[in-house]
Each structure stands twice: as structure tokens, then as C-alpha cells.
Amino acid sequence: MTDGPAQTIKEKLDIVEFLRGYLPMTPAGKNLKARCPFHNEKTPSFMISPERQTWHCFGCGLGGDIFAFLMKYENMEFGEALKVLAEKSGVELKRADPREYKVFGLLYELQDAAKDFWKEQLKTAKIAKDYLDERGLTPETIEEFEIGFAPNDQDSLAMYLINKGYDPADITRAGLIGRTERGLQYDRFRGRIMFPIHNHLGKVVGFTGRILPQLDTGELGKYVNSPETPIFNKSKLLYGFWKSKSGVRESGKAYLVEGQMDFLMSYQVGIKNAVATSGTALTPDHILALRKIAEELLVSFDNDDAGFAAGERAIDLAEAGGMQVRIVSLEGVKDPAEAAQKDPKLLGEAIAKAEPAFKVFFRRYLPWGKVDPLNHAELKNLRILLNKIKSISSPVERDYWLKDLATYAKMSESTLKEEMEKVQVVQTPERFREEEKIIPERKYSRGERISKDLLGAAYSRGDYSILNDVEDLLDPSSKKLLKTLKSGAKKAADPEEDAFLNLVILEAADVSDGEIADMKSALKDGSSKTKRLELTERVKEAEAKGDEEALKKAIEELRSLPQG
Ligand SMILES: [Zn+2]
């Protein structure tokens, strides 16, 4: 995986610079540390080594090079990561395999061509421009998000693309045209405002088309989406995320809205951390993409029953996925798009006043606060709340909300806890568990761990002489590693040694003289304890054999050990 162009790319791109675009990081000795994007954590255990150009998370055990990071982070295959990094580093790749081009390259190209065509059509379609204007979108937003218009013709896009030399079979595969039973081809999108859906790197991968109200016969859906293709997967993509990623990262919060218009209007009035699902309900994959860079999800939904039910599902999922959720209440308007259009300041104000989801749930399910244990409906609602609390992934938060519920419902916490034990918790989605599987690391003994930390301290100081008095006490692999480090090498030929070297370097920390002295005495202590055990065994053995000589020697050695 690291031969050829990949190796050249790695030499050209600095992992620290590259990862800086993804993670806020702080220096830690010769390394940098960050909060791990791949598991849920509050204190950073994700280390990046500029010297080795590697990263490793001591929380979840994941690690690797720049490719491993991008593939994991963006959910990419190696081939795709190679393309992205080649472009970034200016390394030229040999022409893509024609078969691969058919699968991916051509699909991207066709989406792009369709987008350009529809953008051009919008310029002369007064009816469509008027509609967008009426909904409050500015020309700048329309341009920035590459919105277009699909004319209400049988096959104007198909003809445009065929004239450009594309094969109708490929255009069909790209989800842009369909065929009637009699074999007549037609454009999938007709008479619709076209919202391109960009993947998280900003490439168009599909579309959502909204019918113009004047053309809506009610026969086809108000919204039509591109079908799933090898490059378009609705359950993973978030609309607008390519633009709002940095806003989400900076604030640590993502404002989840329902559709394109909600997103665009929110973004337009300055809510730069908005995201929307594209024609599907929120999925675990969406949550995984968001929680890499945000702790909090802001959700707004209508205050009617249907709106509440839809929002509630998303909230339960986000809480189970380890995100905290706040609810943005919009009074007197239908949705975020309407709020933004009514008054540009309204949405920002509502977001600032967002409440923790549980506060809203408590009021919703137990409007009278107190629970009457003989009232079946109230008891059932109480159990729904307990179930939600039980599903929170963080024990600290779980505890917090249980206490809060006890106060709100005027019940004792222990009673609630007992009741909570009994409720059946909603299953954590398989996808989360898959992602959270902790990769078992080799278990290091206490002595090995201390040796490793001492090696790290010496490495960090660039002074190996501090280990002179304990060199003999190091375990064999640490001894070997010390030699490698002293030689100035940052890599070891033996894979096991190299893995250990990687850990030492990534975990290397600047430690005080006092700490070094403590570690050394712990090492000495540990080794004398081991020695004592060994000698006690030898004494027993000699006694059993009646070997006076050996017994005398063992006892002498035992006495000479430092006491402690
Ligand atoms: Zn991790």
C-alpha cells in the first residue's frame, strides 16, 4: 500500500499540516495531540508524530499514516484517497484504469455536466428565478450552492449529454435519465429546481429536484432525488456539509435541519454550522460524520405531534451515538427557512436559547411534573423517559439526567434508578457498536510500560544518558529499542519493534526530573520484587532437594536485596 505514488505522496505531504485541516491540535513535546475523531472522548488521546508521519489513538487503538486517516475519516476506499492526496500533493497518477473510470470517474463527470447544464438553464427561466426569489434565496446563495433549473421537457438534458458524446447507458447509470416501457428515454428531473448534492469534499454526486408549484400536478413527488449510485449514498451524505464543515468544527455544534431550503436559508442568514439530511431520515452514519467534529447537535422541529415524533427519533439516535442534543424552538413559524426569511436575526436568537433535549422531553411526557403511580398513562410516559436516559451513552450524563428527572417528577432518585433497571433499553444501532469496537492492543507488563515511558522521556529530551543507571533493568525489547533510538533511527526493520517504537515516540512526553526519578525507582522496585519472588522459589526448591549449598546462596542473595 505504501509503494509507488503513495510513497511519493507521503514524502510530499506533511501529516501535521494535512490533519490540521481536520482537527484542532495542541503541541505535546515533540508530538501533537488532539481529540480523537474516531471515538467519543473528552480528553485528547490522539497523537500525531511529525517525525514518523504517523498517528495513533491511545483510546481506541486506531492508527496509521495519512492514507489510513483519510480513508477512515472520509469513509473512502484506498483508490479514492490516493486520488485526493495525489491532487493535493501535485503527484501525477498514471491514467486511471478504464474500468475504474467507468465506475467512478464517469459518474462524477456526468453529475458535473448535468449541474452545469441546469445552472445555465436557470439563467433564462424567469418562472424558476421568481420562485427562488420568493422563497428568499439571494443570487449569491444560488451561485454558491450551484442551484439550477431542469426545464419541463421530455429529454433536454439527455440530448445535451448525448451531443457531448456520452453513452445513454452511462447517463442512465448516473441516474439522470430513465426509459419508458416503450424504450423512450426521458429526463428524470423535469420542471424542477435542481439542488446539487455535494459530497463532503465538494464534488457533485447527485441531486434533489423540487417541482415548481405551477407545474405540480400532484402525480409525481414534490421532491425527487437521484437514485443511489456508486458515488451517491444518501444515508451517509449530509447536504451542505462540504460548506459548513469548518463552521461545525469551530463551534463544536451542528444545527440539523430537514431539507435543502432550510439549510440554504439558515446558511444565508449566517448559521454556518447547519447541515441537512438529503431526502432521508437521520442515520447512524450521519451521526458518525458529525460527532467526529462536534459534541452537540442542535435540532429544531415543529411543535405539532408529527414534527415532534420525527425530531424525537433523530434525538434518540444522536444521544445513543454520544452527542448532546439541544432543541431549538421556533415559535410562530413553520420551519427554519420561514424563520430566516421572516427575520434574519430570528434563527440565531432561537439557537442561542436552545434547551437540552431532556428538558423538553420532561415537559412533553410529564406536563404536570408529578407522577401519579396509579395513573397508567403517566407511568408509561415515565418509563419512556427512563428508557431515554438509560440509552445515553455517557454514564455521567445519564446520572445527571436521572437526578434532574427526580427533581422534576418529585420522586426519589433511588426509586427511579430501580425502575430504570427494569425498562428495556432501545438497542444501540449496530453501526455504532461496530465503530466503537476497541481494537485489542498487546498487553504490556508494568515493567514494560515504565520502560516505555522512560524511553519516551529520554527521546523527548534528546538525552539517553538519563537511562544509564537503569539500562540493565529494562526489559529485553526496551533494551533493543534503546539501541535503535540512540542510533537516531525513527523506524525499525522488525515490524514488532517498529510498532513498539511507534508507541514510544507517539506517547513520548516531557516529564520532570522528579517524575523520571519516580519511574526509575518504580522500575528498580519492580525488578527487586520479581527478584524476591524468584529467590523465594529457589529457596523452596533447594529445601525440597536438600541442597545445602544452593539454599545458603539463595538466602544470602535474598538478604542482600533492598528492603521495601
Ligand atoms: Zn480514538
Side-chain angles (χ1 to χ4, degrees):
M1 209 198 239
T2 51
D3 295 334
Q7 192 53 43
T8 321
I9 288 167
K10 289 207 304 193
E11 280 156 20
K12 287 201 166 188
L13 282 182
D14 177 35
I15 195 164
V16 176
E17 284 317 306
F18 184 76
L19 263 60
R20 215 185 281 287
Y22 287 88
L23 312 162
M25 42 178 95
T26 49
K30 288 192 180 179
N31 299 316
L32 293 117
K33 65 178 176 191
R35 275 184 29 232
C36 178
F38 305 124
H39 84 279
N40 199 12
E41 66 174 10
K42 299 266 182 271
T43 47
S45 47
F46 183 97
M47 306 297 296
I48 304 124
S49 162
E51 287 198 318
R52 281 180 60 90
Q53 292 286 305
T54 55
W55 57 277
H56 184 88
C57 172
F58 290 91
C60 65
L62 289 171
D65 58 11
I66 198 167
F67 283 92
F69 180 85
L70 187 64
M71 285 160 70
K72 181 84 192 140
Y73 194 97
E74 301 285 4
N75 216 340
M76 279 180 174
E77 297 295 322
F78 178 70
E80 215 180 340
L82 186 66
K83 258 179 236 160
V84 171
L85 293 175
E87 215 169 285
K88 224 176 156 62
S89 60
V91 170
E92 213 163 308
L93 297 177
K94 270 189 244 119
R95 258 202 88 69
D97 181 333
R99 272 166 312 168
E100 200 198 329
Y101 175 74
K102 269 268 190 199
V103 179
F104 294 105
L106 193 55
L107 288 181
Y108 284 118
E109 225 178 276
L110 280 162
Q111 307 297 330
D112 227 37
K115 174 209 69 188
D116 288 342
F117 175 73
W118 287 327
K119 264 178 79 177
E120 208 45 45
Q121 297 301 307
L122 179 64
K123 287 182 185 159
T124 51
K126 188 171 179 308
I127 176 175
K129 279 202 290 190
D130 287 348
Y131 171 77
L132 292 172
D133 184 49
E134 196 185 298
R135 295 292 310 264
L137 288 182
T138 63
E140 290 75 28
T141 305
I142 292 169
E143 182 59 35
E144 187 171 3
F145 289 91
E146 313 195 281
I147 297 163
F149 175 65
N152 196 26
D153 306 333
Q154 171 79 15
D155 58 359
S156 56
L157 176 73
M159 291 322 292
Y160 170 79
L161 293 173
I162 290 165
N163 280 328
K164 281 186 90 115
Y166 292 109
D167 181 339
D170 289 328
I171 309 173
T172 310
R173 221 162 44 82
L176 295 167
I177 60 176
R179 237 165 246 286
T180 65
E181 275 169 27
R182 288 185 304 158
L184 222 57
Q185 70 196 19
Y186 62 89
D187 289 358
R188 173 186 283 269
F189 301 97
R190 298 185 308 279
R192 289 173 188 270
I193 300 287
M194 297 306 297
F195 300 99
I197 299 167
H198 299 76
N199 67 13
H200 299 173
L201 296 163
K203 284 200 167 166
V204 179
V205 291
F207 296 89
T208 293
R210 195 215 185 275
I211 192 96
L212 273 186
Q214 297 90 326
L215 301 173
D216 192 0
T217 56
E219 277 169 57
L220 297 161
K222 198 187 261 184
Y223 290 92
V224 166
N225 289 302
S226 291
E228 301 265 313
T229 68
I231 61 169
F232 181 51
N233 185 341
K234 274 188 292 198
S235 67
K236 285 189 177 163
L237 281 175
L238 286 160
Y239 180 75
F241 196 45
W242 65 297
K243 282 283 180 184
S244 58
K245 210 168 14 175
S246 57
V248 171
R249 190 182 298 121
E250 270 160 37
S251 62
K253 298 171 186 176
Y255 178 42
L256 179 73
V257 295
E258 227 175 280
Q260 277 85 12
M261 279 310 292
D262 286 330
F263 172 88
L264 294 166
M265 287 302 292
S266 304
Y267 194 86
Q268 190 173 285
V269 296
I271 314 298
K272 302 291 186 201
N273 59 340
V275 289
T277 52
S278 316
T280 103
L282 193 72
T283 66
D285 278 305
H286 292 140
I287 295 289
L288 290 171
L290 290 172
R291 77 160 194 211
K292 280 175 192 163
I293 54 175
E295 300 95 68
E296 205 173 283
L297 190 69
L298 295 154
V299 181
S300 64
F301 49 79
D302 316 337
N303 260 332
D304 61 19
D305 285 346
F308 186 81
E312 188 177 19
R313 210 200 131 266
I315 292 165
D316 287 346
L317 189 65
E319 295 273 0
M323 291 186 87
Q324 289 174 13
V325 185
R326 282 177 172 265
I327 295 179
V328 180
S329 300
L330 298 172
E331 305 291 339
V333 288
K334 192 161 73 34
D335 49 32
E338 201 182 290
Q341 195 177 7
K342 196 171 162 192
D343 175 359
K345 278 186 296 198
L346 206 63
L347 212 45
E349 284 166 4
I351 288 173
K353 281 190 285 188
E355 273 187 298
F358 277 97
K359 291 270 184 212
V360 179
F361 283 152
F362 290 177
R363 284 202 304 270
R364 178 89 188 180
Y365 281 102
L366 298 175
W368 298 281
K370 226 164 129 58
V371 180
D372 173 3
L374 298 179
N375 181 325
H376 232 71
E378 283 183 20
L379 206 55
K380 198 176 142 212
N381 282 351
L382 177 70
R383 291 203 179 110
I384 292 176
L385 290 174
L386 287 170
N387 192 328
K388 286 183 192 296
I389 293 173
K390 201 174 178 179
S391 309
I392 301 175
S393 75
S394 151
V396 180
E397 278 163 49
R398 211 181 301 143
D399 200 50
Y400 177 88
W401 288 114
L402 193 70
K403 277 201 178 74
D404 205 59
L405 179 61
T407 312
Y408 178 81
K410 301 176 189 69
M411 293 178 86
S412 88
E413 210 186 315
S414 58
T415 309
L416 284 180
K417 206 167 221 160
E418 223 175 289
E419 188 73 34
M420 188 167 81
E421 303 284 306
K422 279 190 259 171
V423 299
Q424 195 81 38
V425 68
V426 189
Q427 284 273 310
T428 310
E430 182 59 35
R431 187 76 183 85
F432 287 148
R433 273 180 288 150
E434 216 176 90
E435 204 65 22
E436 266 151 20
K437 230 181 274 157
I438 287 173
I439 295 161
E441 271 187 73
R442 178 163 110 66
K443 285 264 182 291
Y444 293 101
S445 72
R446 186 175 139 79
E448 281 175 318
R449 271 186 287 123
I450 298 169
S451 303
K452 182 162 69 79
D453 290 344
L454 278 169
L455 285 173
Y459 164 79
S460 186
R461 293 184 169 206
D463 177 9
Y464 296 100
S465 71
I466 61 164
L467 300 180
N468 285 349
D469 58 331
V470 287
E471 209 175 321
D472 288 341
L473 300 177
L474 297 178
D475 64 278
S477 57
S478 301
K479 266 186 203 154
K480 199 169 156 204
L481 201 59
L482 181 58
K483 257 194 210 137
T484 310
L485 282 166
K486 275 181 175 171
S487 77
K490 301 285 181 278
K491 301 228 177 234
D494 171 46
E496 190 153 340
E497 194 194 345
D498 194 60
F500 194 37
L501 177 65
N502 193 39
L503 289 188
V504 167
I505 290 185
L506 282 161
E507 253 190 334
D510 285 322
V511 291
S512 65
D513 291 340
E515 277 174 273
I516 290 177
D518 285 348
M519 286 194 272
K520 283 182 181 179
S521 73
L523 198 61
K524 285 176 189 159
D525 206 40
S527 89
S528 70
K529 261 184 202 141
T530 319
K531 199 86 203 239
R532 179 167 286 121
L533 280 177
E534 254 176 49
L535 287 169
T536 317
E537 279 304 303
R538 259 169 63 193
V539 169
K540 278 188 204 154
E541 211 177 312
E543 272 176 345
K545 280 191 194 157
D547 187 340
E548 289 291 328
E549 192 80 357
L551 185 62
K552 214 174 127 196
K553 207 166 166 257
I555 289 173
E556 247 165 51
E557 274 187 54
L558 199 54
R559 284 206 183 115
S560 72
L561 281 180
Q563 299 300 306

